[in-house]
Amino acid sequence: MSPKNVTARSPFSAAEGQQQPLGGVRREPAPPSRPSPCRRPAPAMALGKLQKVLISESLDPCCREILQAGGLRVQEKPGLSKEELLREIRDCDGLIVRSATKVTAEVLEAAERLKVVGRAGTGVDNVDVEAATRKGVLVMNTPTGNSLSAAELTCGMILCLARQIPQAAASMKEGKWDRKKYMGMELNGKTLAVLGLGRIGREVATRMQAFGMKTIGYDPIITPDVSATFGVEQLPLEQIWPRCDFITVHTPLLPSTTGLLNDSTFAKCRRGVQVVNCARGGIVDEGALLRALQSGQCGGAALDVFTQEPPKDRDLVNHPNVISCPHLGASTREAQSRCGKEIAMQIVDMATGKGLTGVVNGQALSKAFSPQTKPWIALARALGTVLCTVGKQMQGSMQVCTLGTPLKEAGSYLTPAVAAGMLAGGTQKEVTLVNATLLAQEAGLKVTATHSDVAPEPDSSTGLVQVSLQGTPHQVTGTVQGSTPVLRQINGAAFKLPAPLSGPLLIYRAKASDTSALATLTGLLSKAGAQLLSYHSSSTVAGEQWSIVGLSAPLPSLGELKPRVTEIFQLHLP
């Protein structure tokens, strides 16, 4: 059985709107909590129970209209102070922002009912994605909404740098006629380096090719074959610096892209290189850029974004060879309408269970909306709960193995579901597919996934999910029959008739020759006024059998049963 291939996403992302990795703060693992006698998993995130949405910034009216048409109550309060936001967010299920609202850990903690933060735009650096993930709050963006507007602004910036249009216009307003002072350059034949070849980067490249520019670029995710289809020759960064006349950046702001253009890289460039940043402040080291401008190593810069917005240090803005704008990349009527419309539709689709798009921190949840995958997610969660209950631990290494061709791509959403099941009933208030992987890591649980196309009969047509705690004999295997999750095997003991995994369950291991446990259980059920709904026993291993009993209600006490069994557990599955 070979490990499942996982394509790693480089932190130098192909587009500003791609998913960003969670923050790098290392925390000590939380102490494990022992399973309770009757384990009830924490409730899954109620995606369909969105009621009230707060829009904290000015958006196109279509955003409010679409939300209201979808049955949601909408409150529009742009320009809230931090204190006002903390008060307003308390009873909201959804929050829609642009770039001004800072969705910090403090804001998320104050939001008692919050389930989703929607960013009407691409970058989510104003949202604490890690804190949202830990709390189980979904973060969405609209990566396509402002791509054209940002690309067009970038192209305009390049033209302005080449011909010094803003400086010449300002001179004219001062009553001057400085034709000789503003000698520009043609773009035809010049080389443009595009760093980041996602949606915006490729739009810029294709448009500037119309001016006769040669386009080179770099992106660790987009392959050279793909970039060649839109006319960009990919090169290593070290080969790009000395070859380009213009550089434009189109990456997210990440630790790996912060200061991508710095003193060292400017020194490798042609003297007089022109720089454009319409992506995120900080990708270009502002101190290094100012030094390069002062020395003439950089001939000009066009900046729509700054490390601090608005910038308090005005040295860059005031430099005569710098063109600057107040973060206007998405500031077009078309982009704002598109972003407002897209985020509203995404939230309505989420609330009505139609689908999930634009997810930044919970891709596994996208699959949860498919009728075909819901039973498998329920199975994976149940297997995690059973394994944690039987194994009596929530730490160590856990392996999730999917077997059978139908489950070839299922590991991405089944692994978080297993982790959620393992953590259910612990100290966390709510464990969901959004935060399960992160919380598992912090609890000291390492989760890996593998896949094999070969599944044993008779499950080859549907597939099996096998979950094991490495270094222990504890392993559970299940499948889905119809739409019902069922258990096939526990610790090497197979069930000839698979046991349904739902509702109140009693699981015990006893000597195969001793039937007193079942007789005692029948008496306890009678006393408690509960019913035995199903009974499944496993094959015999080392003279013992596992039994799984479906109950109409949990038993108040297992005291009378414990002397008659080797081990016994009670849990409640959705």
Side-chain angles (χ1 to χ4, degrees):
M1 203 174 294
S2 59
K4 181 174 179 177
N5 292 325
V6 178
T7 303
R9 301 199 71 84
S10 166
F12 187 104
S13 181
E16 290 92 318
Q18 288 183 328
Q19 181 188 5
Q20 301 179 15
L22 299 175
V25 180
R26 180 174 177 80
R27 294 172 174 80
E28 292 301 315
S33 60
R34 295 188 63 82
S36 60
C38 180
R39 294 197 49 178
R40 288 179 176 270
M45 186 163 70
L47 296 177
K49 293 185 179 179
L50 295 177
Q51 296 177 0
K52 181 180 178 183
V53 176
L54 171 65
I55 302 175
S56 65
E57 298 185 48
S58 296
L59 288 175
D60 190 282
C62 70
C63 181
R64 180 192 68 250
E65 293 164 4
I66 291 170
L67 291 170
Q68 290 174 335
L72 298 172
R73 287 190 292 121
V74 181
Q75 195 169 27
E76 284 188 287
K77 292 198 172 182
L80 293 172
S81 67
K82 176 184 172 182
E83 292 71 24
E84 290 169 334
L85 178 61
L86 289 172
R87 287 196 301 270
E88 294 294 337
I89 196 66
R90 199 169 300 279
D91 65 343
C92 293
D93 305 293
L95 171 65
I96 296 179
V97 303
R98 285 183 62 195
S99 56
T101 303
K102 307 304 178 187
V103 188
T104 63
E106 184 180 2
V107 170
L108 291 161
E109 189 58 34
E112 299 172 358
R113 290 170 35 184
L114 194 65
K115 298 177 181 67
V116 61
V117 174
R119 162 74 163 96
T122 302
V124 290
D125 39 297
N126 59 315
V127 180
D128 189 331
V129 178
E130 183 178 355
T133 302
R134 180 171 290 102
K135 193 170 180 182
V137 174
L138 206 60
V139 179
M140 292 179 174
N141 68 351
T142 57
T144 63
N146 58 18
S147 297
L148 288 177
S149 292
E152 288 182 359
L153 178 65
T154 302
C155 295
M157 290 289 212
I158 294 171
L159 286 163
C160 286
L161 280 176
R163 299 304 297 269
Q164 301 179 74
I165 297 171
Q167 293 95 325
S171 174
M172 286 288 290
K173 288 184 182 296
E174 293 173 358
K176 300 177 182 178
W177 186 263
D178 292 326
R179 293 185 67 191
K180 293 182 179 179
K181 182 178 180 180
Y182 299 110
M183 181 66 66
M185 71 176 89
E186 289 185 350
L187 295 177
N188 184 55
K190 302 300 188 296
T191 298
L192 171 66
V194 184
L195 307 184
L197 298 169
R199 296 179 182 89
I200 299 173
R202 69 182 63 189
E203 294 289 352
V204 170
T206 55
R207 281 160 175 72
M208 297 319 297
Q209 288 159 16
F211 285 85
M213 296 194 84
K214 174 179 173 57
T215 49
I216 61 177
Y218 175 76
D219 193 298
I221 296 173
I222 305 298
T223 66
D225 288 343
V226 171
S227 64
T229 63
F230 51 87
V232 175
E233 177 190 3
Q234 280 212 55
L235 296 169
L237 286 171
E238 292 303 307
Q239 293 183 29
I240 284 177
W241 308 127
R243 289 183 56 173
C244 55
D245 301 294
F246 289 78
I247 301 173
T248 180
V249 294
H250 299 285
T251 77
L253 181 64
L254 302 171
S256 61
T257 61
T258 299
L260 183 63
L261 272 69
N262 51 51
D263 288 311
S264 174
T265 51
F266 276 122
K268 297 172 185 176
C269 292
R270 291 178 179 176
R271 185 168 178 81
V273 67
Q274 309 276 323
V275 174
V276 179
N277 184 6
C278 293
R280 282 291 179 267
I283 298 172
V284 179
D285 183 315
E286 292 178 358
L289 175 60
L290 183 59
R291 289 188 287 273
L293 286 162
Q294 291 168 341
S295 70
Q297 182 64 16
C298 177
L303 306 173
D304 185 45
V305 290
F306 297 86
T307 303
Q308 183 183 41
E309 294 184 352
K312 290 184 179 178
D313 186 342
R314 307 289 295 181
D315 288 346
L316 263 181
V317 174
N318 293 335
H319 193 283
N321 293 341
V322 170
I323 300 163
S324 58
C325 294
H327 204 149
L328 299 179
S331 295
T332 64
R333 288 185 294 273
E334 293 85 354
Q336 290 309 300
S337 177
R338 230 175 358 246
C339 288
K341 179 180 179 181
E342 286 181 15
I343 198 63
M345 291 176 67
Q346 287 170 204
I347 289 178
V348 169
D349 284 348
M350 171 184 168
T352 56
K354 291 181 180 178
L356 204 58
T357 55
V359 179
V360 173
N361 66 335
Q363 282 69 20
L365 269 175
S366 301
K367 300 289 185 180
F369 279 84
S370 167
Q372 292 79 18
T373 61
K374 283 181 180 178
W376 290 97
I377 290 172
L379 169 69
R381 187 186 288 268
L383 291 178
T385 302
V386 172
L387 184 65
C388 181
T389 304
V390 172
K392 303 182 182 70
Q393 68 180 71
M394 287 192 295
Q395 289 183 310
S397 296
M398 179 182 72
Q399 185 177 69
V400 180
C401 180
T402 51
L403 299 99
T405 305
L407 297 180
K408 190 169 186 177
E409 305 298 328
S412 63
Y413 56 89
L414 294 186
T415 300
V418 171
M422 286 286 288
L423 297 172
T427 57
Q428 295 293 334
K429 285 197 300 183
E430 186 175 29
V431 184
T432 73
L433 294 183
V434 174
N435 61 12
T437 302
L438 175 64
L439 295 180
Q441 291 171 353
E442 293 184 348
L445 181 64
K446 181 182 178 182
V447 186
T448 58
T450 63
H451 176 76
S452 172
D453 283 338
V454 180
E457 294 292 344
D459 299 289
S460 57
S461 62
T462 58
L464 286 172
V465 180
Q466 190 177 80
V467 188
S468 55
L469 279 171
Q470 301 298 290
T472 77
H474 301 301
Q475 182 186 82
V476 289
T477 304
T479 188
V480 171
Q481 291 185 340
S483 59
T484 304
V486 295
L487 185 68
R488 289 290 310 276
Q489 176 266 125
I490 181 169
N491 291 359
F495 291 86
K496 186 174 182 181
L497 293 176
L501 291 173
S502 62
L505 295 178
L506 191 69
I507 302 176
Y508 65 87
R509 178 165 60 95
K511 291 182 179 179
S513 57
D514 188 353
T515 60
S516 61
L518 186 57
T520 303
L521 173 60
T522 303
L524 288 175
L525 288 171
S526 178
K527 291 179 186 177
Q531 294 179 326
L532 189 152
L533 302 180
S534 63
Y535 176 84
H536 294 79
S537 61
S538 74
S539 59
T540 302
V541 176
E544 292 187 318
Q545 283 182 315
W546 285 91
S547 296
I548 297 184
V549 186
L551 306 175
S552 62
L555 289 173
S557 172
L558 303 178
E560 291 184 44
L561 280 167
K562 288 181 178 179
R564 305 181 184 281
V565 298
T566 306
E567 56 183 332
I568 187 168
F569 313 97
Q570 192 167 199
L571 60 150
H572 194 129
L573 298 174

